[in-house]
Amino acid sequence: MSFITGVGLTSFGKHEGSSSLDLMSKAAQAALDDAGLKRSDIDGILCGYSTVSPHIMLATVFAEHFGIRPAYAHAVQVGGATGLAMTMLAHHLVDAGVCRNVLVVAGENRLTGQSRDASIQALAQVGHPDYEVPLGPTIPAYYGLVATRYMHEYGVTEEDLAEFAVLMRAHACNHPGAQFHDPITVADVMASKPVAMPLKLLDCCPVSDGGAAFIISRERTGETGVRIRGCAQAHTHQHVTAAPALSELGAEISIARAKDASGLAISDVRYAAIYDSFTITLAMLLEDLGLAGRGEAAARVRAGHFGRDGAMPLNTHGGLLSYGHCGVGGAMAHLVEAHLQMTGRAANRQVRDASIALLHGDGGVLSSHVSMFLERVR
């Protein structure tokens, strides 16, 4: 058993003059304060990777910078699934008795510390070196290809995808730390600049500065405990040219394993925190995870199903699409928001019931998946 005892999150957007280590430190200290722990209480650290500061020993670089001497340190790299993969590893470390309190932290100054060309170059290198990179695509292009196929197979339209961007922006408007606070409409999404058709600018997450952190502990520290009930991974491919059929992607595999590990069903879930790098990512994952039928997620958005007051509140902080995306820390914001909801601290974003939460992270081009169930205990 393990508990998420503290969470920390910076605002996302521009943090002029802040390095990746600065942003990580700010989030880490906030998580420690939230857990009621001191730096000396941390005996394990898990750190995400950074494209701005690509040090080969980033976990121990941060430990030195933050002034801790952990008995266990490790850096993890599975793309957008890294945050939940680190949480899963921390859960196992604590459950096995290797550590008592593991600090999970990530952050980057991608917006102010990395040029546009450097960012594009980094994103371009995820492709297969022989079959993809020479043709010049970047991550948006790969997701554009996936979107085209998904739309063809399941009758999804560009307007359907736009609904997810509108919902995430509406949620971000209620969070003071979000990068964007201006409401948008489906028409605004449709009129935004083409990036990799059918994906347009507002179908894509922004580049952000920011940091996120949380503490995974063997024992709870607050009145309300949030424990990891069960989690699982699935890795079906790395490159899109080697991807299986849309009906055989890893989210369906990881959620089935997580349900077995937790003893829970989708019908038990009261709050959802789902990776949303692009609108097509969110649409597909909601359907792969069983939160909507094939091709039906957009209709549920229109009906208010995924709104704050709906039957399945989703990414109430605004998600990657509107809270922002600072690399590994971007998806970690989903867990921070879930924790706030589960402990009744989400202010004007608070949902009626967040007793059981489902989190899902996606790395690469729907390549690596982590599904996780959290449970509130009194």
Side-chain angles (χ1 to χ4, degrees):
M1 182 180 295
S2 70
F3 294 90
I4 301 171
T5 52
V7 296
L9 182 67
T10 72
S11 62
F12 281 15
K14 283 189 176 182
H15 284 267
E16 297 282 0
S18 292
S19 69
S20 294
L21 292 175
D22 293 335
L23 293 165
M24 292 166 68
S25 297
K26 185 175 182 180
Q29 187 58 55
L32 282 170
D33 293 342
D34 193 42
L37 297 173
K38 304 182 297 296
R39 297 189 187 192
S40 57
D41 293 320
I42 298 299
D43 56 357
I45 180 171
L46 296 174
C47 179
Y49 62 92
S50 169
T51 61
V52 180
S53 305
H55 198 286
I56 61 173
M57 295 178 65
L58 189 57
T60 46
V61 166
F62 176 75
E64 177 185 85
H65 178 83
F66 197 58
I68 58 176
R69 294 184 175 183
Y72 185 98
H74 198 59
V76 179
Q77 291 181 278
V78 278
T82 301
L84 287 185
M86 291 193 294
T87 308
M88 182 175 176
L89 177 54
H91 163 66
H92 289 317
L93 289 169
V94 166
D95 191 49
V98 176
C99 300
R100 293 188 64 82
N101 298 293
V102 179
L103 170 64
V104 177
V105 61
E108 288 191 68
N109 57 331
R110 282 195 180 187
L111 183 57
T112 60
Q114 190 173 55
S115 70
R116 183 181 65 174
D117 288 349
S119 179
I120 292 173
Q121 181 67 16
L123 294 177
Q125 297 309 306
V126 303
H128 193 286
D130 297 322
Y131 307 132
E132 296 171 6
V133 172
L135 301 176
T138 63
I139 289 180
Y142 295 127
Y143 274 93
L145 291 172
V146 172
T148 299
R149 185 65 192 180
Y150 199 81
M151 292 165 65
H152 171 74
E153 289 198 15
Y154 298 108
V156 174
T157 67
E158 291 183 40
E159 289 81 2
D160 287 337
L161 296 182
E163 294 284 358
F164 298 96
V166 173
L167 176 64
M168 291 300 98
R169 184 61 60 86
H171 285 174
C173 287
N174 292 318
H175 198 304
Q179 187 165 348
F180 298 119
H181 292 108
D182 297 324
I184 58 175
T185 65
V186 169
D188 292 330
V189 180
M190 295 298 292
S192 61
K193 179 181 178 180
V195 173
M197 293 304 289
L199 302 178
K200 296 161 288 295
L201 184 64
L202 293 178
D203 286 300
C204 308
C205 63
V207 175
S208 317
D209 296 339
F214 26 88
I215 312 295
I216 312 299
S217 303
R218 192 179 308 173
E219 299 173 1
R220 55 194 284 184
T221 59
E223 292 184 6
T224 301
V226 174
R227 75 179 183 108
I228 297 173
R229 176 72 179 261
C231 45
Q233 300 185 23
H235 307 271
T236 56
H237 63 284
Q238 175 58 41
H239 303 106
V240 71
T241 49
L246 294 179
S247 60
E248 301 171 4
L249 291 172
E252 293 186 70
I253 301 170
S254 66
I255 190 62
R257 292 170 177 168
K259 287 190 288 188
D260 287 343
S262 65
L264 295 172
I266 294 300
S267 59
D268 297 315
V269 177
R270 297 293 178 265
Y271 178 84
I274 310 301
Y275 194 80
D276 60 320
S277 52
F278 301 93
T279 52
I280 183 60
T281 318
L282 187 54
M284 290 179 65
L285 290 177
L286 287 170
E287 295 170 9
D288 286 350
L289 295 169
L291 293 167
R294 293 291 184 191
E296 297 176 0
R300 290 200 166 192
V301 173
R302 294 188 189 99
H305 183 80
F306 295 115
R308 185 194 66 182
D309 298 320
M312 184 62 67
L314 169 71
N315 298 351
T316 50
H317 65 304
L320 298 169
L321 286 167
S322 279
Y323 191 89
H325 196 354
C326 63
V328 172
M332 289 171 61
H334 290 64
L335 188 148
V336 172
E337 179 72 2
H339 192 275
L340 294 176
Q341 290 286 0
M342 298 181 80
T343 54
R345 299 181 296 155
N348 61 332
R349 304 183 309 282
Q350 189 64 49
V351 303
R352 291 189 302 272
D353 178 12
S355 53
I356 298 289
L358 168 62
L359 292 82
H360 186 87
D362 156 43
V365 187
L366 299 165
S367 312
S368 293
H369 296 265
V370 183
S371 299
M372 180 173 296
F373 289 96
L374 303 182
E375 178 184 33
R376 182 177 64 216
V377 292
R378 299 288 187 180

